[in-house]
Amino acid sequence: MDHARFADRDAHGVVDVRHGPEALEAMTREGFWAVVATFEGAVTAVRFAEVTPSAYAVGPGPRPAAGPATAWRPLDRHWHTSLDRAAYVGAVREVRERIAAGTVYQVNVCRVLSHELSADADLDRLDDLLRQGNPAPHAARVRCDAAGLDVVSASPELFLGRRGRRLVTRPIKGTAATAEQMLPKDYAENVMIVDLMRNDVSGVCEPGTVSVDELCAVEAHPGLVHLVSTVSGHLRDGVGWADVFAAAYPPGSVSGAPKSSALTTIRDLETVARGPYCGAVGWVDADAREADLAVGIRTFWAERDDTGRRWLRFGTGAGITWHSDPEGEWAETELKAARLIGLAAGTVTP
């Protein structure tokens, strides 16, 4: 059954599906919309008739039990990667060469993991598993056959939050197993992206209202820690979602800086489209003038290839700067994937 569930609310009863510019326009006018945008810029919005508080709301106290433990059949760990170790390390070295040449100074390099999926595998059960074993502040499950969406996300990162005229973004740059293992490179990387995000949101906010409210805060998540900063501003009158996406999409934390040069490098080095990974996943309530759109990291999605085979996809990546160690960046992609892939594979228990 088509539905969407987020960290604090569930939605049922599909009444409309929009794509591209029509989706951005509809999200601005009225209604509650579940939104999935690919990194490449394809936006899909699904309007739901009924929205209720979620039993899975992230916060203190016990969480409800998920479905039966046998409902999700663990995958057998035969995962394919779009870039193997040698190719990924080579891509990092190429980014460093481009930085030395002055064409770019930070690029997020990603790879997509794929596992064949049976026709009857239900990602609702994977969502149950992730909400127990990897609770996330921007957890999302969006399922709509008519829209071609079958997505589960355990994202820790807010791309764009809206409450009235206040717009907030909380970029994550800097990842380690513990806070003590965070490197000077991680802090420098975070500051670069904060500067980029300040510039992005300034395009749609009132002059003088954009501020850095928090810089390089250490935030713990299952299995790792991140550096997280907070940037906010007040939207100008008449700004719609088309304007916001034109100014700030794709998310700076998963592209790089300068953004245009980083996107060129990504196209040159990555071998497959990222899809919902590194895009945006979340909701927009046009009536309440509120939104919570996460960066689509820690995200699984199901899709069929040209032969009809069904695949489960999962992306992982790392931000590359001049000080990056190629083997260390590969290890970071492994760290980011380990817990989520382990939960899906049955090698990590909730």
Side-chain angles (χ1 to χ4, degrees), residues 225-250:
V225 297
H226 288 305
L227 295 180
V228 186
S229 296
T230 303
V231 178
S232 68
H234 292 278
L235 289 167
R236 299 196 308 266
D237 289 339
V239 166
W241 283 105
D243 303 303
V244 174
F245 269 59
Y249 205 81

Side-chain angles (χ1 to χ4, degrees), residues 198-279:
R198 285 176 63 246
N199 182 70
D200 282 357
V201 301
S202 291
V204 290
C205 288
E206 293 283 358
T209 65
V210 176
S211 63
V212 179
D213 305 317
E214 194 171 33
L215 185 64
C216 294
V218 176
E219 193 169 276
H221 294 273
L224 47 72
V225 297
H226 288 305
L227 295 180
V228 186
S229 296
T230 303
V231 178
S232 68
H234 292 278
L235 289 167
R236 299 196 308 266
D237 289 339
V239 166
W241 283 105
D243 303 303
V244 174
F245 269 59
Y249 205 81
S253 64
V254 288
S255 52
K259 190 182 284 187
S260 59
S261 298
L263 292 174
T264 297
T265 304
I266 288 167
R267 286 191 292 268
D268 290 345
L269 298 179
E270 296 184 13
T271 58
V272 299
R274 294 185 185 180
Y277 171 60
C278 291

Side-chain angles (χ1 to χ4, degrees), residues 157-161 168-170 197 245 248-252 279-280 293-295:
E157 181 175 1
L158 179 66
F159 170 42
L160 294 170
V168 179
T169 181
R170 302 190 71 239
M197 296 305 295
F245 269 59
Y249 205 81
L293 296 175
V295 179

Side-chain angles (χ1 to χ4, degrees), residues 112-178:
V112 175
L113 306 177
S114 301
H115 192 293
E116 193 160 6
L117 198 61
S118 65
D120 62 347
D122 186 350
L123 267 59
D124 282 355
R125 303 288 74 79
L126 179 60
D127 184 42
D128 290 338
L129 192 62
L130 266 55
R131 286 174 188 256
Q132 285 196 50
N134 198 99
H138 305 289
R141 166 68 170 130
V142 181
R143 177 178 179 176
C144 179
D145 292 342
L149 298 178
D150 201 359
V151 178
V152 175
S153 180
S155 177
E157 181 175 1
L158 179 66
F159 170 42
L160 294 170
R162 179 179 183 176
R163 297 296 183 271
R165 290 183 61 199
R166 187 169 187 259
L167 188 70
V168 179
T169 181
R170 302 190 71 239
I172 288 176
K173 293 311 295 180
T175 301
T178 66

